[in-house]
Amino acid sequence: MKNASFSWRLPAALLLLTLCLTSPAAAQTAQFTGLTPLYNPAPGVRDGSSTFHCTADAAGNTFMMVRYRGALRLGGTVVAAPADTLYRQAVAKLNPAGVLQWLRDINTEDSGVDCVSLQTDVAGNLYALGRICCGPAPHTVDGLVVSGLQEGTTAYVAKWSGGGVIQYATAFATTPSNPLATDLNPWRLAVSPTTGALAVTGMYIGAMVVGADTLRQIERSLGPYINANAFVARLSVTGTPQWALRMEDADSVTFSFATELGFDAADNLHFVGFYGAGASPTPRTGINGVALPAHYGIFRIKLSPTAQVVYAEADPLIAESFGFAVAPDGSSYLAYSIPFSGALASGQPVRVRGSEATLVARYAPDGRLQWLHQFDGRDSTDYVQIGQRMLALSRDGQEVFVGGRLHGVLRDDNLQLGTPATTRGGPQHAWLAALSAAGKVLWGHTVDSRAGSYPRQLQALPDGKVGLLAIAAGDSIGLGNLTISTPGNRNNKAFFTTLSRQYNTLSGAAYLDANADGVQNATETGFPGGLVVEVNPGAVPCAAPESTGHYDAYLDLGVNFTATLPAPPPHYTVVGQGGAPATFSTYGGVAAGRSFALQPIAGQQDVQVLLTLISPARPGALVTYQVQYRNTGTAALPTGTVALAPDARLLYQTSSQAPTTTGATGLTWAYANLLPGQTRRLTVTFRLPPTTPLGGLLTSTATVAPLIGDLLPLDNTSTASRTVTGSFDPNDIEVNHTQLSPGQVVAGEWLEYTVRFQNHGSDTAFVVALHDSLPAHLLRLGTLQLLAASHNCNWSLSPAGRLLVRFDDIQLPSQTTNPIASDGFVRFRVRPVGTLVPGDRIPNRAAIFFDYNAPLATNTALTTIQTTLGLPGENDAADAVRVWPNPASGLLHVEAPGAETGPLTLTLTDALGRAVRTTTRTTATTLDVSGLPAGLYVLRGVGAGTPFSQRVVVR
């Protein structure tokens, strides 16, 4: 392992950050609020209806494209078609209560005119994108002539006012007249919220004419067939072409499909799809002269209003369907399904457990991946797929809604949907879920119907609601808390349902405000290592990760909710932002901007070291330490040293970085240019002689310099101690205090936990996850701090105390292959709640997951609150003495009952019995141990009261 910069920055975590809820009442975070039927209500009729597309305006009105024959029930209204045998395609508007406002027939089945996408603008007008490929000319849409062509394919856009009056219907693209060599499939329409411009994406074969532009493609050498090409076009508010681009190709086997797109507030256009770059391994596919970085895969492209490429990115994965949404600030959300395991462009592996998995990702405005969440099954019988058009961003930007088709069980760390399947066949059911903008799963539901249910589209509605357009078979539909009877025709039945929030949101960020301007700029992330924000009342902890600093608290009804930073880092001025406390009287409320700007105080010099014994201490075995040192100040450290004084019995073997000096007292490493917030680590291995007796304490100490000018010298020394043992369990948890006094509890003494793990399997572990269920009623979770870890990781914390630490792509070798590198650990600290009393016990036990194997449980680390403290093995008088902290690095606090009757003399002696500190005080006293070499000492007290002696570790 090389010496390298260490950061807690999220490495595109495959799983989520957990959600924050204040009480059980908020745990049901969304409920179905009803069903609007969209089918023929006549009993026994086989002629049903189908729905494919929907959209909504800012007022919550819903627009749908429906296909029907005969009678059609839209909510509480039954529409009767003319007495013929033709299917009709229509657009309809329903108000927020599901009442039909109007319906306009677009065409009949023999016209050759289809509608493929709907969108609204900020004024509530409706736009439709469609395709004309056959039928008698002229071709009309709602009575307006669009095309007079007899052959070829035509793409059109149409516009209706909010009142249902058609404004225009115009063709913007055609194919040449040879139908054997050409085809055109527009797929998705977007409307700019800023300018009202339109954009269209899709695919074509052969050639395509958009206004004055002709887009062509290379033909195969054999036969007239030409592979598919993705295109994107920008149109004016009246549907007039402004420009069009195609995905570039270089040979006859290159292909591309563009399926989704959207505008941001700056009028930039984002679109996504899938491509294959031909037979050569050299990437040659691109757009407007910019090549994509992979040979094949999922592409994401951002174009300026003038068609200039802002970025073009790709991940080499096979995908089958897509959902996509763009936020006003230019960040975007992409969901796609993958049938095979693979890797992102960064090399991070993505593994499919079921027969198909769904990934949901958020990207920054510059295209950087911010988080990645995976919905997966358990095994090959489970099928979890995203549906086309089944991703929507909530109107307030707080949530991203996703959904699709499910067979069997959908499962991740915080959500399980569906029922186990015994075979891969059988009915599928619609599923949908919500994630926060930070990637936290909020809720999930399925749509249950006897013969299956199939989603068509998700649509964000006002007030945090989401609408689902779907089709179900059977006489009833199960919608979570609702079961709705659906008598009528025997075919599949289309319906529209909504879900409403059953919680409120308070959100913000705890970010490093490097330029101290009080604004989180695009380049400013969360604080190094991440922080925990506490929301009160309820002491709700919410992780603010280093990657973004953003946090969300999901709250019940209540008054005066406020956010605080319970454990702010030193050397920074914390500037609170966000105004008055929030009050929620109904569900769906949002209080955003409750942020904390951490502004560096210039010139603060502070460096910290943490020594962790990773491996067990076994006679004859290798013993591995990690030395982690970090610049916790605000000034760069141009030079310094790190020293490790190992236990005298240890024999030096190797180090991840060669020491600068070695000697009888230990090892020293020089470092340079340690920047503020930067963390580095060393791995050092020793051998413990086989003759070492069991039961003794193995103690080593690390020190970091420079010491002169260091503002917090107490953390410049760190001691790691562990009992020498024989047989052992490599997966364990350890706490620094097995006993605490009430005084220590009130003073906020830290409980520091170390969870160790080792891969004893037969192969490499790619993902390791630690689940630690901290007792929320005994620990103040808002003070939790992650101190060190063996490998890069991401972490999250739920209000119930569920700490999740994930090591993604850890590639931990088996102990049989590499005994040294097979170990790992995580180290964190948290304060107990201040109301604990003697007799209270704080248990803590963790579970460790290696890849997708069954969890391995650790031992239970137990801390007891009692009025007397002592170290085992000392005289009985020590039971009446309280000494803390132990280990100590500064002031040692001593409480000795009986000392009030006279003076008490305290003497601290080293391992050779030499007195190194002496003081005489009465009752409660302190002893300064700073500056002493790290190691084991004995504290003795004589004078008033009963004499005592007690072991003390100085670090």
Side-chain angles (χ1 to χ4, degrees):
M1 183 181 294
K2 297 181 179 179
N3 179 38
S5 173
F6 176 52
S7 171
W8 296 113
R9 187 177 306 279
L10 287 176
L14 289 179
L15 288 185
L16 47 104
L17 301 175
T18 50
L19 73 157
C20 299
L21 297 172
T22 58
S23 69
Q28 178 61 43
T29 56
Q31 288 188 348
F32 288 95
T33 54
L35 178 143
T36 300
L38 307 168
Y39 57 86
N40 192 322
V45 174
R46 292 185 178 274
D47 296 329
S49 65
S50 58
T51 59
F52 298 96
H53 320 297
C54 68
T55 188
D57 60 19
N61 299 298
T62 302
F63 301 84
M64 299 178 184
M65 189 283 288
V66 295
R67 183 174 181 269
Y68 70 101
R69 181 173 67 177
L72 172 65
R73 181 181 177 187
L74 288 168
T77 302
V78 176
V79 177
D84 55 36
T85 60
L86 296 177
Y87 276 100
R88 284 168 169 74
Q89 198 173 77
V91 290
K93 177 180 180 180
L94 287 77
N95 69 12
V99 177
L100 178 66
Q101 303 298 290
W102 49 260
L103 180 142
R104 300 289 182 266
D105 282 334
I106 297 178
N107 49 62
T108 58
E109 64 180 336
D110 62 352
S111 69
V113 181
D114 288 326
C115 173
V116 298
S117 183
L118 298 177
Q119 285 294 327
T120 58
D121 61 17
V122 293
N125 299 303
L126 174 67
Y127 298 81
L129 170 68
R131 176 177 184 263
I132 303 171
C133 63
C134 56
H139 306 284
T140 62
V141 172
D142 197 7
L144 297 184
V145 175
V146 178
S147 171
L149 297 177
Q150 297 291 337
E151 295 181 335
T153 308
T154 300
Y156 74 88
V157 290
K159 176 183 178 181
W160 287 265
S161 69
V165 178
I166 192 165
Q167 307 295 296
Y168 65 77
T170 182
F172 69 88
T174 60
T175 59
S177 59
N178 181 359
L180 296 178
T182 60
D183 194 11
L184 169 59
N185 286 282
W187 280 341
R188 192 67 159 156
L189 172 71
V191 182
S192 171
T194 305
T195 63
L198 309 180
V200 176
T201 194
M203 57 79 67
Y204 70 95
I205 295 173
M208 170 181 170
V209 180
V210 184
D213 296 326
T214 299
L215 306 181
R216 294 191 178 276
Q217 188 181 34
I218 295 177
E219 295 189 23
R220 282 187 175 181
S221 57
L222 297 175
Y225 180 76
I226 307 174
N227 282 339
N229 254 50
F231 76 89
V232 60
R234 180 183 170 107
L235 316 176
S236 71
V237 294
T238 59
T240 302
Q242 295 180 327
W243 51 257
L245 298 175
R246 70 175 178 89
M247 296 291 289
E248 297 162 3
D249 52 13
D251 57 30
S252 62
V253 295
T254 298
F255 66 91
S256 54
F257 302 89
T259 60
E260 300 288 330
L261 80 169
F263 283 99
D264 60 28
D267 210 32
N268 298 303
L269 181 61
H270 307 242
F271 73 109
V272 298
F274 182 78
Y275 76 101
S280 171
T282 303
R284 289 172 297 173
T285 297
I287 189 167
N288 208 14
V290 178
L292 290 168
H295 179 57
Y296 71 91
I298 301 162
F299 68 78
R300 297 174 291 107
I301 296 175
K302 179 179 179 180
L303 300 171
S304 73
T306 57
Q308 301 305 305
V309 178
V310 180
Y311 65 72
E313 305 287 348
D315 285 306
L317 295 171
I318 304 294
E320 294 192 344
S321 54
F322 294 88
F324 187 61
V326 181
D329 67 354
S331 58
S332 59
Y333 298 84
L334 173 64
Y336 52 91
S337 295
I338 55 173
F340 310 111
S341 299
L344 302 180
S346 63
Q348 177 185 337
V350 180
R351 290 177 174 80
V352 178
R353 281 179 285 182
S355 62
E356 191 155 337
T358 290
L359 304 181
V360 184
R362 174 188 164 101
Y363 299 92
D366 62 1
R368 291 178 295 109
L369 178 67
Q370 293 185 310
W371 53 257
L372 181 69
H373 182 84
Q374 181 168 345
F375 292 105
D376 211 338
R378 307 156 305 155
D379 53 42
S380 61
T381 62
D382 296 328
Y383 172 95
V384 181
Q385 188 184 64
I386 184 74
Q388 206 74 29
R389 296 184 173 92
M390 286 295 291
L391 184 148
L393 183 63
S394 66
R395 299 272 171 162
D396 57 15
Q398 298 298 306
E399 293 150 285
V400 55
F401 307 112
V402 293
R405 293 180 293 163
L406 168 65
H407 173 72
V409 173
L410 176 154
R411 186 176 66 179
D412 62 25
D413 279 1
N414 287 335
L415 182 66
Q416 180 165 315
L417 300 175
T419 57
T422 57
T423 64
R424 297 185 64 174
Q428 300 172 6
H429 296 279
W431 67 273
L432 62 161
L435 292 86
S436 75
K440 307 172 187 178
V441 167
L442 306 180
W443 51 259
H445 283 289
T446 58
V447 176
D448 300 318
S449 183
R450 174 179 55 82
S453 56
Y454 306 93
R456 293 299 192 189
Q457 189 169 343
L458 280 177
Q459 183 61 51
L461 303 171
D463 301 325
K465 295 180 180 179
V466 59
L468 170 66
L469 185 64
I471 291 176
D475 294 329
S476 66
I477 301 174
L479 300 174
N481 51 300
L482 301 175
T483 299
I484 298 175
S485 176
T486 56
N489 69 77
R490 290 176 286 174
N491 283 354
N492 293 339
K493 303 170 186 179
F495 66 91
F496 184 78
T497 184
T498 58
L499 288 91
S500 297
R501 288 177 180 166
Q502 296 297 301
Y503 59 93
N504 300 286
T505 306
L506 186 145
S507 64
Y511 63 96
L512 180 57
D513 190 9
N515 59 4
D517 65 351
V519 177
Q520 186 176 12
N521 304 314
T523 58
E524 292 176 339
T525 61
F527 194 78
L531 295 171
V532 176
V533 175
E534 185 177 88
V535 177
N536 285 289
V540 182
C542 297
E546 179 184 344
S547 57
T548 63
H550 181 85
Y551 75 92
D552 293 296
Y554 301 101
L555 309 170
D556 214 321
L557 306 179
V559 298
N560 296 331
F561 287 104
T562 59
T564 61
L565 276 181
H571 318 311
Y572 291 82
T573 300
V574 180
V575 179
Q577 301 168 333
T583 295
F584 302 109
S585 57
T586 60
Y587 289 117
V590 175
R594 269 57 178 180
S595 296
F596 302 92
L598 286 92
Q599 300 174 351
I601 302 171
Q604 303 291 291
Q605 179 177 302
D606 190 18
V607 63
Q608 174 197 74
V609 68
L610 282 171
L611 179 66
T612 304
L613 178 53
I614 303 176
S615 61
R618 300 183 66 200
L622 296 175
V623 175
T624 304
Y625 289 89
Q626 186 201 85
V627 183
Q628 175 185 293
Y629 56 103
R630 179 180 180 181
N631 185 347
T632 55
T634 62
L637 299 174
T639 60
T641 58
V642 180
L644 175 59
D647 189 286
R649 293 163 290 183
L650 291 173
L651 305 175
Y652 172 66
Q653 303 292 303
T654 62
S655 173
S656 59
Q657 176 183 330
T660 308
T661 61
T662 59
T665 59
L667 313 169
T668 302
W669 295 263
Y671 67 83
N673 194 30
L674 189 64
L675 302 177
Q678 188 176 25
T679 301
R680 297 176 186 171
R681 60 181 178 233
L682 305 163
T683 302
V684 190
T685 302
F686 301 87
R687 186 174 295 278
L688 187 61
T691 57
T692 306
L694 302 180
L697 198 64
L698 192 71
T699 301
S700 300
T701 302
T703 306
V704 67
L707 300 176
I708 299 175
D710 194 286
L711 296 175
L712 296 174
L714 296 182
D715 61 10
N716 289 55
T717 302
S718 178
T719 299
S721 299
R722 194 166 192 184
T723 303
V724 178
T725 58
S727 61
F728 70 98
D729 183 348
N731 305 298
D732 73 337
I733 185 171
E734 185 179 59
V735 65
N736 62 333
H737 291 299
T738 58
Q739 299 174 11
L740 286 177
S741 71
Q744 289 175 287
V745 170
V746 173
E749 180 69 18
W750 291 100
L751 289 179
E752 186 172 303
Y753 294 95
T754 302
V755 183
R756 301 178 180 89
F757 55 89
Q758 186 178 41
N759 180 8
H760 272 217
S762 59
D763 198 359
T764 299
F766 290 91
V767 177
V768 176
L770 275 66
H771 295 210
D772 192 339
S773 298
L774 299 167
H777 62 295
L778 300 174
L779 298 173
R780 190 177 178 190
L781 300 179
T783 64
L784 185 139
Q785 297 176 352
L786 202 67
L787 300 176
S790 56
H791 304 75
N792 283 353
C793 65
N794 65 283
W795 62 276
S796 62
L797 179 68
S798 79
R802 185 171 177 275
L803 175 66
L804 170 63
V805 182
R806 283 186 55 89
F807 298 86
D808 290 306
D809 197 25
I810 188 174
Q811 298 193 35
L812 195 71
S814 168
Q815 186 267 345
T816 59
T817 302
N818 191 332
I820 297 175
S822 63
D823 289 305
F825 77 94
V826 65
R827 188 169 170 180
F828 61 92
R829 67 180 185 177
V830 63
R831 287 186 168 120
V833 298
T835 56
L836 299 182
V837 296
D840 285 337
R841 292 150 57 93
I842 306 174
N844 189 16
R845 188 183 190 191
I848 303 168
F849 293 77
F850 293 89
D851 289 324
Y852 303 117
N853 296 309
L856 300 175
T858 69
N859 57 297
T860 298
L862 185 64
T863 300
T864 303
I865 312 302
Q866 56 187 48
T867 56
T868 58
L869 293 182
L871 291 176
E874 302 299 331
N875 59 35
D876 293 339
D879 292 339
V881 178
R882 295 197 292 262
V883 178
W884 80 91
N886 194 1
S889 56
L891 292 178
L892 190 66
H893 298 266
V894 182
E895 292 183 9
E900 64 275 6
T901 61
L904 172 67
T905 299
L906 299 177
T907 302
L908 190 69
T909 60
D910 63 13
L912 299 178
R914 297 173 298 187
V916 294
R917 291 284 192 276
T918 300
T919 186
T920 301
R921 300 285 179 86
T922 59
T923 317
T925 187
T926 58
L927 185 67
D928 187 2
V929 299
S930 59
L932 291 177
L936 187 64
Y937 295 79
V938 176
L939 177 68
R940 291 186 172 89
V942 296
T946 305
F948 66 88
S949 63
Q950 189 164 327
R951 287 180 294 176
V952 173
V953 176
V954 174
R955 63 182 182 185

